[in-house]
Amino acid sequence: MKVRDHISKAVEAHKTEFSFEILPPLKGQNIDTIFKNIDPLMEFNPPFIDVTYHREEYIYKEREDGLLEKKVVRKRPGTVGICAAIQNKYDVDAVPHVLCGGFSKEDTENFLIDMDFLGIENVMALRGDAVKSETYFKPNKNGNVYAQDLVEQIIDLNHGKYLDEDLLNSSQTDFCIGVAGYPEKHLEAPSMESDIHFLKKKLEAGACYVVTQMFFDNQKYFDFVEKCRAAGITKPIIPGLKPLATKKQLNMIPQRFSVDVPDALVMEVVNCKTPDAVRQVGIEWCIQQSKELKAAGVPVLHYYSMGKSDNIRQIAEAVF
């Protein structure tokens, strides 16, 4: 089932659905690590589960001759297999993330063909972030540069248009496409207005819904939605939430994601004496965010689990 249809059903029923995002396990681990984190959340009946995709990274190893050798590694492979396993085991729609970075257009087309063969109907189209070795994002050679380009390629496949224009009687895919939105603007965007302008372009290209970057102040989300509606964006905007879990995140999240942490939350965390106390503060803050958003009638609350389900489960128990 398409994510847009799940959203429509929730709106018609005046209901808020629960969904979440998982990371593939690190290379060398098996899929049981994924199932152990998904199992405790299934009682909340998520209509879909997102599975992230991770770009290759570059590491340098010293050779016997003393020179440095550049190696390309992918620390979290398995998105395709995990999506297939989720749909088979849980009968829940899986939403794989598809990136511009690390893919040529040919790679993207083959990835999408695999998804189509597996009966996966939904994808999340993202540009992707810069890797550690890059100051700024660099697209792959012969790859899509922006998420809008990626959306356009997926829509081409939905129309039966492949990179090889000589194909005859080519079949059409039927992907529902999600894209990212940034309530506090993308860290590379020069202004909120320009960021919303390009979000609108992604939706006009064929994307069906938006999932936001994490935020810790609901007013940021409400203001973002209002600005999007004023700009002519009418498609659903799903709030993405992440409970704060460690003191280190007070510095890491603003720096890495360009997201503000409210002073009240900062002081609560700073005053905590133990890691468990910090984690509980993050849970309680996210519960209050969730309840306010649910009361405002959002059709889906989407949680970034980061491979851990215990805190997400506590939040879901209090909200759904």
Side-chain angles (χ1 to χ4, degrees):
M1 187 171 173
K2 306 289 192 299
V3 170
R4 64 170 177 258
D5 296 328
H6 287 301
I7 295 171
S8 294
K9 285 180 66 176
V11 171
E12 291 170 4
H14 302 288
K15 181 181 179 183
T16 299
E17 296 281 9
F18 162 83
S19 72
F20 60 96
E21 177 177 302
I22 60 170
L23 303 172
L26 289 167
K27 185 180 286 188
Q29 298 178 357
N30 63 37
I31 200 166
D32 286 341
T33 61
I34 290 292
F35 293 154
K36 286 176 182 177
N37 283 308
I38 292 177
D39 286 345
L41 301 177
M42 291 311 297
E43 69 176 87
F44 305 106
N45 300 313
F48 60 90
I49 300 170
D50 277 37
V51 182
T52 63
Y53 196 98
H54 292 259
R55 287 185 62 183
E56 72 282 351
E57 296 182 26
Y58 303 105
I59 61 172
Y60 292 89
K61 289 193 172 182
E62 187 175 354
R63 303 188 321 201
E64 291 183 2
D65 59 9
L67 296 176
L68 291 177
E69 180 180 24
K70 183 179 179 180
K71 287 191 65 176
V72 179
V73 297
R74 196 179 298 277
K75 293 184 178 180
R76 293 183 182 271
T79 297
V80 176
I82 291 167
C83 287
I86 285 173
Q87 295 204 161
N88 180 64
K89 180 177 174 66
Y90 299 106
D91 193 26
V92 169
D93 288 304
V95 185
H97 290 194
V98 187
L99 308 181
C100 296
F103 284 90
S104 68
K105 290 184 179 181
E106 184 87 20
D107 294 333
T108 296
E109 183 171 277
N110 292 336
F111 183 87
L112 292 166
I113 288 170
D114 285 346
M115 296 293 105
D116 187 49
F117 287 169
L118 289 167
I120 292 167
E121 300 181 297
N122 304 283
V123 293
M124 190 78 180
L126 305 166
R127 190 201 69 175
D129 298 323
V131 294
K132 292 178 182 177
S133 58
E134 298 172 345
T135 304
Y136 299 103
F137 171 82
K138 294 179 182 178
N140 202 59
K141 185 179 180 181
N142 302 317
N144 292 301
V145 179
Y146 300 109
Q148 179 184 336
D149 304 326
L150 181 53
V151 171
E152 289 170 352
Q153 183 178 3
I154 299 168
I155 291 298
D156 279 346
L157 280 182
N158 282 355
H159 294 153
K161 182 181 177 182
Y162 290 71
L163 295 175
D164 183 351
E165 296 179 356
D166 295 329
L167 292 177
L168 299 176
N169 301 317
S170 56
S171 62
Q172 299 178 347
T173 58
D174 189 21
F175 292 111
C176 172
I177 307 167
V179 292
Y182 299 86
E184 298 174 65
K185 89 172 183 61
H186 191 278
L187 58 90
E188 296 176 20
S191 68
M192 178 61 80
E193 288 70 23
S194 69
D195 208 22
I196 291 174
H197 168 81
F198 288 108
L199 173 60
K200 186 177 181 181
K201 291 290 185 184
K202 291 187 286 187
L203 295 164
E204 289 174 343
C208 301
Y209 66 98
V210 179
V211 179
T212 76
Q213 174 64 278
M214 73 181 82
F215 55 90
F216 297 94
D217 179 352
N218 283 354
Q219 195 57 49
K220 303 274 190 182
Y221 169 80
F222 294 133
D223 291 346
F224 176 67
V225 172
E226 185 178 347
K227 289 175 182 177
C228 286
R229 300 304 183 223
I233 293 173
T234 59
K235 293 181 180 177
I237 301 174
I238 296 172
L241 299 173
K242 172 179 166 48
L244 202 73
T246 67
K247 282 190 177 181
K248 286 183 178 179
Q249 290 176 344
L250 289 179
N251 302 110
M252 183 273 289
I253 288 175
Q255 187 274 330
R256 187 172 178 183
F257 299 102
S258 191
V259 170
D260 289 335
V261 181
D263 289 338
L265 176 56
V266 171
M267 295 314 300
E268 281 195 60
V269 171
V270 166
N271 290 328
C272 288
K273 303 300 184 184
T274 66
D276 285 346
V278 173
R279 195 168 181 82
Q280 195 58 42
V281 165
I283 289 168
E284 293 299 329
W285 188 277
C286 195
I287 287 172
Q288 296 309 311
Q289 278 192 273
S290 301
K291 287 182 175 179
E292 183 180 24
L293 290 163
K294 186 178 179 183
V298 299
V300 180
L301 286 171
H302 188 72
Y303 295 91
Y304 298 112
S305 74
M306 306 303 290
K308 304 291 184 181
S309 62
D310 57 324
N311 54 356
I312 304 299
R313 179 180 172 81
Q314 288 186 56
I315 294 163
E317 284 178 332
V319 176
F320 293 93

